[in-house]
Every structure is written in structure tokens, then in C-alpha cells.
Amino acid sequence: MRHSKLFLAAILGTLAIAGCTQTDGGRAAIGAGAGALIADATDNNVLAGAALGAGAGALCDDAGICRRSY
């Protein structure tokens, strides 16, 4: 149960912070940190989690997930 609460907190925190960045590099850095945190919390490979998180963070704007509407 502890892992699922940490996982949910990491996801919600990442989504909140990712909306504040304006560059792909910033979103990739946040994604890498979140991916590493989630991978560590779930006893998976931290490096792989960071790589997946960085990719997701960098591409979330292109997919329209974290796009700002002005």
C-alpha cells in the first residue's frame, strides 16, 4: 500500500510541476526525476525509469498532454 501512495503522489506532483515548464528540456528533466523516483519506489531499474520519464516529459507537449492554452 505504501508504494501505491508514493506512486500516486509522484504522478500528481509531476503533472503539477510539468505544467510550469516551457521547454522540452525542462519537461524532460522533470520526467527523468519522476521516472527515477517511481522506478525506485516500485523496485525497478532506476536508470530505465529515468530514461522513460525523460522521453515522456520531452514528448508530452507534442502529444498535447501538457500543452498550455493561452
Side-chain angles (χ1 to χ4, degrees):
M1 187 68 176
R2 179 184 173 274
H3 291 299
S4 62
K5 287 182 182 180
L6 183 60
F7 180 74
L8 180 61
I11 293 293
L12 292 176
T14 301
L15 289 175
I17 294 171
C20 298
T21 61
Q22 296 181 5
T23 64
D24 286 339
R27 287 186 291 273
I30 292 169
L37 176 69
I38 292 168
D40 187 44
T42 58
D43 294 327
N44 289 303
N45 186 330
V46 176
L47 185 59
L52 289 171
L59 297 175
C60 74
D61 187 42
D62 299 328
I65 297 170
C66 58
R67 185 173 297 151
R68 288 185 176 189
S69 59
Y70 292 98

